[in-house]
Amino acid sequence: MEGVRWAFRCGSWVPTRSEWTLAARSVQLEEKERIGQFVFAKDAKSAMAGRLLIRKLVCERMGYAWDGFRLERTARGKPYLPRLSPATGPASSHTHWNFNVSHHGDYAVLAAEPRPQVGVDVMKTSKPGCSSVQEFFRIMNRQFTDLEWTNIRAAGSDWDQLDMFYRHWALKESFIKAIGTGLGFDLQRVEFHISPNQMREGQVYRQTRMYLDKEEEDWTFEESLLDKDHHVAVALGKQEDDGSFCEALPISFTQLSFGDLVSRARPLLEEDPAYWESFQKKKDAPSRQSELQ
């Protein structure tokens, strides 16, 4: 069974009242409340898109009705679908999917696989908001190995170096998210040997290799560009049941419309006019560069 790669351009999404109201009614109450707490509209849109992507996956690939399941969160906050009995859902083999979501810049993305561990990260190349590129690199120095910094600084101009920086960052985050260790993991334990140095839109690359504690690991990393500024990395581990290596063909990201996101949606909640009014009062988002510092 083929995996899933979906992307939604939430940065250019300007929700109408009917769209935002439908979205809010189509997620669980605690998710709706959490999204409503964001100060900036961009963050609220990204979080909403992430929740809708997950529910779309569960419906279309796992066989559940939109209102026939509840998503839970791990202790580290990662969404997951609890194993359900055959009496409450489809055959149990359909629930063995691993999935992960990410949002940054203008996109929310989802990657899912029926067996292997999976993690995804999207990063937008953008200039530091409060420092020079080189000062930003100094602040982030401990996040990469000496070899990785050599490759980043050899990329060319400051912009090219930033682009390579974010490519490395997306790779590291995709692995961390796949193994579920969170912020306590020492990123210098992981070193990426990038290949090729330059990527083209419309292609998926699998040449980059990862070394963990100096030893090469049997992980696959799919890299692609959603556009010239957005890198996506998907980490694929060994299959959980027999330990075999993932040999499926690489998958390109499919870009979805809002209509695609909610094509199977069923309302879970009553309509809440105040939720739309609250969204309209949210501020435009500043640069998200501070997330990395």
Side-chain angles (χ1 to χ4, degrees):
M1 186 181 298
E2 187 179 68
V4 171
R5 308 287 185 272
W6 288 333
F8 176 67
R9 195 178 182 98
C10 43
S12 60
W13 177 38
V14 182
T16 64
R17 180 186 182 119
S18 61
E19 287 178 343
W20 191 248
T21 300
L22 174 59
R25 297 183 66 194
S26 301
V27 299
Q28 293 166 200
L29 178 60
E30 67 275 15
E31 295 170 339
K32 173 190 167 185
E33 292 175 343
R34 179 174 176 270
I35 293 167
Q37 292 174 359
F38 284 109
V39 173
F40 298 108
K42 183 175 183 179
D43 296 331
K45 291 191 298 179
S46 297
M48 183 69 79
R51 301 288 77 75
L52 294 174
L53 283 166
I54 295 172
R55 296 198 79 88
K56 176 181 175 70
L57 173 79
V58 176
C59 285
E60 294 190 3
R61 298 305 173 97
M62 303 185 199
Y64 291 90
W66 190 278
D67 55 358
F69 62 92
R70 277 190 57 83
L71 294 167
E72 303 291 347
R73 288 182 178 269
T74 67
R76 297 183 182 275
K78 183 177 179 179
Y80 73 97
L81 178 68
R83 296 292 174 89
L84 303 179
S85 69
T88 59
S92 60
S93 61
H94 288 211
T95 67
H96 292 170
W97 283 70
N98 290 306
F99 58 85
N100 196 224
V101 295
S102 174
H103 52 81
H104 188 255
D106 299 329
Y107 283 94
V109 298
L110 175 144
E113 290 289 334
R115 291 292 180 179
Q117 289 175 279
V118 61
V120 64
D121 198 62
V122 58
M123 292 301 301
K124 180 179 182 180
T125 300
S126 56
K127 291 184 178 180
C130 57
S131 62
S132 69
V133 172
Q134 298 308 316
E135 174 64 14
F136 175 60
F137 285 173
R138 186 192 67 77
I139 295 170
M140 301 298 293
N141 183 64
R142 297 181 63 183
Q143 309 304 324
F144 298 101
T145 68
D146 290 343
L147 174 66
E148 289 170 332
W149 277 117
T150 297
N151 292 334
I152 291 169
R153 295 184 185 281
S157 66
D158 277 0
W159 182 261
D160 291 335
Q161 290 180 46
L162 270 176
D163 201 52
M164 186 63 78
F165 170 92
Y166 283 112
R167 182 177 172 186
H168 278 79
W169 188 270
L171 285 162
K172 294 211 175 193
E173 283 293 308
S174 70
F175 174 68
I176 297 303
K177 293 174 73 177
I179 61 177
T181 57
L183 298 176
F185 190 89
D186 181 3
L187 292 180
Q188 289 208 11
R189 292 179 57 197
V190 180
E191 181 175 270
F192 285 94
H193 294 200
I194 296 288
S195 179
N197 285 332
Q198 293 185 340
M199 300 192 298
R200 295 181 179 179
E201 292 181 48
Q203 297 189 30
V204 182
Y205 299 88
R206 276 190 167 182
Q207 292 95 310
T208 291
R209 305 302 299 164
M210 183 189 75
Y211 289 75
L212 177 62
D213 298 329
K214 309 295 185 182
E215 299 291 331
E216 186 171 4
E217 291 290 311
D218 283 340
W219 280 69
T220 298
F221 289 87
E222 295 179 351
E223 297 184 87
S224 57
L225 295 170
L226 295 177
D227 58 30
K228 65 183 181 63
D229 295 328
H230 288 81
H231 292 272
V232 184
V234 178
L236 298 170
K238 297 176 181 179
Q239 293 192 5
E240 293 183 342
D241 52 356
D242 59 7
S244 61
F245 186 66
C246 176
E247 295 290 355
L249 294 175
I251 306 170
S252 297
F253 275 84
T254 298
Q255 298 208 25
L256 306 179
S257 66
F258 178 75
D260 295 327
L261 279 184
V262 297
S263 62
R264 302 280 291 274
R266 296 181 185 176
L268 307 180
L269 306 171
E270 295 296 323
E271 186 170 339
D272 181 0
Y275 200 73
W276 166 249
E277 295 169 5
S278 175
F279 174 75
Q280 289 185 299
K281 296 176 182 178
K282 294 186 184 297
K283 301 177 183 179
D284 292 331
S287 169
R288 300 289 298 280
Q289 195 77 30
S290 60
E291 289 182 352
L292 300 180
Q293 300 183 25

